[in-house]
């Protein structure tokens, strides 16, 4: 990816589906920590979806809530990311989903990329 400086604040890049603006001020684009959290959340969600489909679970929807804890004294670094999946579908098996969560964590490249520096907590609930 190539990023170009914006005249006011931040940077931008052009990708196949549009322009992405990134800045420390959310009035000018995505904040870098938001992109980090969303990368972990959506990577996990995509892997979870694939694993559940391979387990032949009939998934209707996966809603992801992701939050970050930051340490102000340490350059406001992200210390923990919590990812909560709300899964809906037919005949969902909680035990199978628990197994799928283990596989998801193991196979999500974004979680594996940050695992030694950021705590990642993943939880789920089955909703109708």
């Amino acid at each position: 990816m190539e990023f170009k400086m914006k005249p006011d604040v931040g940077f931008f890049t052009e990708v196949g589906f549009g322009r992405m603006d990134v800045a420390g001020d959310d009035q000018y684009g995505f904040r870098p920590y938001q992109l980090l959290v969303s990368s972990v959340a959506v990577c996990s969600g995509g892997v979870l979806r694939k694993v559940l489909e391979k387990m032949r679970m009939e998934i209707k929807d996966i809603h992801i809530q992701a939050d970050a804890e930051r340490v102000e004294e340490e350059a406001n670094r992200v210390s923990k990311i919590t990812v909560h999946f709300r899964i809906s579908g037919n005949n969902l098996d909680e035990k199978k989903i628990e197994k799928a969560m283990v596989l998801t964590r193991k196979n999500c490249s974004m979680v594996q990329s940050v695992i030694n520096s950021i705590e990642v907590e993943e939880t789920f609930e089955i909703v109708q």
Side-chain angles (χ1 to χ4, degrees), residues 7 14 17 24-26 28 31 33 48 50 56 58 66-67 71 73-74 83 85 90 101 105 107 111 114 124-125:
E14 297 285 344
F17 48 85
D25 183 335
D26 58 12
Y28 298 97
R31 295 183 66 197
Y33 91 92
L48 178 61
K50 286 181 185 177
R56 295 193 170 100
E58 191 178 331
D67 295 297
V71 182
E73 301 81 25
E74 298 175 17
V83 182
F85 301 99
N90 296 322
M101 293 289 287
R105 183 178 189 84
N107 290 290
V111 170
V114 302
F124 75 92
E125 67 181 294

Side-chain angles (χ1 to χ4, degrees), residues 13-85:
T13 187
E14 297 285 344
V15 290
F17 48 85
R19 177 177 161 144
M20 180 172 61
D21 291 278
V22 183
D25 183 335
D26 58 12
Q27 292 181 26
Y28 298 97
F30 294 103
R31 295 183 66 197
Y33 91 92
Q34 292 170 323
L35 295 172
L36 174 67
V37 172
S38 62
S39 293
V40 169
V42 174
C43 177
S44 292
V47 173
L48 178 61
R49 181 181 192 170
K50 286 181 185 177
V51 170
L52 293 173
E53 287 172 352
K54 286 183 180 182
M55 291 178 152
R56 295 193 170 100
M57 303 207 40
E58 191 178 331
I59 303 302
K60 289 183 182 175
D61 189 33
I62 299 175
H63 178 92
I64 304 169
Q65 175 66 45
D67 295 297
E69 291 180 20
R70 300 177 75 189
V71 182
E72 190 174 328
E73 301 81 25
E74 298 175 17
N76 222 7
R77 77 174 185 87
V78 175
S79 60
K80 181 177 181 180
I81 298 172
T82 55
V83 182
H84 182 72
F85 301 99

